[in-house]
Amino acid sequence: MTYARIIGTGSFLPGAPISNDDLVARGIDTSDAWIVERTGIRARHLAESNVGASDLALQASLRALAAANKQPADVDLIIVATSTPDMIFPSAAALLQDKLGIRNGAPAFDVQAVCSGFVYALTLAKKLIASGSHRCALVVGAEVFSRILDWNDRGTCVLFGDGAGAVLLAASEEPGILATALHADGSYRDILSVPGQIAGGQVVGSPFLQMEGQAVFKFAVKVLAEVAREVLGQAGLGIGDVDWLIPHQANMRILDATARKLGLPAEKIIATVAHHGNTSAASIPLALDEAVRSGRISRGQTLLLEAVGGGFTWGAALLKF
Ligand code: UT7
């Protein structure tokens, strides 16, 4: 049996951290105490206006390639999960391919599933590797959510940040990704959205993120626990077999509530949201990379990745690292 196995990870955060107090200094009607108490977020990174998602993806990808001891030319599939691509088209993945100097004709495309995008992209890459059509996939989450934030809406602008994370996935006889599950329910479209579009050279509708925070919170905790049990069931494992839960880094309270619902000790959660905020599709590979580089995650451990995002979309992946 051919598995898809993570052979390298990388991540990138642009510029210096912007603290909660820095936001207050910029005139946002909020406080460090409110943000920390409700979300656990202490800082975020914001990209310069001339830096796109593919630029952040490039830095994270170079680090993942170096960690795997691979060259860009070894990559035969590129998938970027993003809801904030550099342009309408070409995709951020095609731009990343060019920036990496990959000239081997490898397919490159974006996946848009908002905060679940990385789990969607990882699942697609895994299935293409298992089919035998591809052997070395670069799977990236990259976002510049700062571009779609309304800085007059304190209920949302304090929550998000920019960043990228990447993994290199290779065909292997050794166990890698064990089980995946993806879901969506578009009837929740209005609870979390950026409803605007471009038409006739104009922005039509709002180009800013809008969210019903409490509705998102309740839905997130419910489906994250369900989808975690779903992948564990597929693999014939229990929650006690999981070494690390690496959830989408949205909010510390959602992370804690999900772990409690699953009966997982809080020490088994990888939480990096405090220093980068919610980076949407980038958050899982960012958290994974930081935990690998700090030595917390080691080879052979069982990891549970899971996310929920606008749509709603949600999903999980269970893997041997
Ligand atoms: O990838 C998924 C992304 N989404 C999420 O992770 C969001 C999930 N939801 C949440 O995390 C929480 O709902 C929030 C953190 C967004 C909000 O926390 P909450 O406990 O649900 O607060 P709330 O929206 O009910 O607002 C409570 C109060 C309000 O004031 P009043 O009406 O009680 O006087 C808000 O106006 O907090 C006020 N408020 C703020 N105050 C200071 C809202 N935003 C802020 C702020 N600073 N940034």
Side-chain angles (χ1 to χ4, degrees):
M1 174 170 174
T2 303
Y3 288 97
R5 194 161 166 266
I6 294 177
I7 58 166
T9 66
S11 61
F12 182 72
L13 291 166
I18 312 284
S19 71
N20 296 335
D21 285 333
D22 291 336
L23 295 184
V24 175
R26 290 177 184 203
I28 297 169
D29 180 17
T30 188
S31 66
D32 178 59
W34 190 95
I35 300 172
V36 171
E37 188 201 320
R38 307 281 173 133
T39 72
I41 296 167
R42 293 179 184 276
R44 72 286 297 140
H45 292 248
L46 306 176
E48 298 286 338
S49 58
N50 61 347
V51 172
S54 70
D55 298 308
L56 305 183
L58 174 64
Q59 299 307 323
S61 299
L62 289 171
R63 291 172 186 186
L65 284 160
N69 209 12
K70 292 280 185 193
Q71 300 302 317
D74 297 322
V75 172
D76 65 6
L77 170 68
I78 303 167
I79 309 179
V80 175
T82 186
S83 299
T84 49
D86 302 51
M87 52 185 81
I88 294 174
F89 67 78
S91 65
L95 301 181
L96 173 63
Q97 183 193 47
D98 179 48
K99 289 173 184 179
L100 282 168
I102 297 175
R103 302 280 181 264
N104 59 8
F109 59 94
D110 289 359
V111 166
Q112 207 272 46
V114 200
C115 302
S116 312
F118 182 77
V119 176
Y120 268 63
L122 194 71
T123 301
L124 289 174
K126 175 232 172 194
K127 288 182 190 282
L128 286 167
I129 286 174
S131 77
S133 65
H134 295 82
R135 294 197 61 80
C136 185
L138 179 59
V139 184
V140 187
E143 302 278 18
V144 281
F145 256 51
S146 57
R147 307 280 153 78
I148 52 169
L149 297 178
D150 178 355
W151 293 99
N152 294 312
D153 176 10
R154 66 179 183 169
T156 55
C157 72
V158 304
L159 305 175
F160 295 89
D162 302 337
V167 302
L168 206 63
L169 212 56
S172 169
E173 299 314 307
E174 276 179 67
I177 299 178
L178 305 172
T180 57
L182 300 178
H183 297 284
D185 185 341
S187 68
Y188 289 94
R189 51 189 276 182
D190 293 330
I191 290 173
L192 176 53
S193 65
V194 181
Q197 57 160 304
I198 306 281
Q202 306 285 331
V203 177
V204 179
S206 169
F208 295 124
L209 183 149
Q210 58 187 40
M211 177 172 73
E212 289 176 34
Q214 291 189 4
V216 172
F217 195 107
K218 281 182 203 143
F219 186 89
V221 174
K222 175 176 168 290
V223 298
L224 288 174
E226 282 171 7
V227 80
R229 292 195 186 104
E230 185 180 346
V231 289
L232 285 167
Q234 274 182 42
L237 297 180
I239 194 71
D241 297 310
V242 173
D243 292 302
W244 294 105
L245 175 68
I246 307 161
H248 165 46
Q249 308 285 313
N251 176 318
M252 210 48 229
R253 281 160 62 220
I254 296 183
L255 269 58
D256 286 338
T258 307
R260 263 200 312 278
K261 205 159 181 174
L262 285 169
L264 190 80
E267 313 83 73
K268 291 195 170 188
I269 309 175
I270 299 292
T272 57
V273 65
H275 72 267
H276 57 64
N278 183 342
T279 57
S280 191
S283 86
I284 289 180
L286 249 172
L288 172 66
D289 181 54
E290 290 193 8
V292 168
R293 284 173 195 265
S294 69
R296 275 193 292 168
I297 291 179
S298 46
R299 285 283 166 203
Q301 289 189 320
T302 302
L303 314 184
L304 176 56
L305 281 43
E306 59 171 12
V308 59
F312 278 126
T313 58
W314 65 103
L318 186 70
L319 60 96
K320 281 270 176 221
F321 185 69

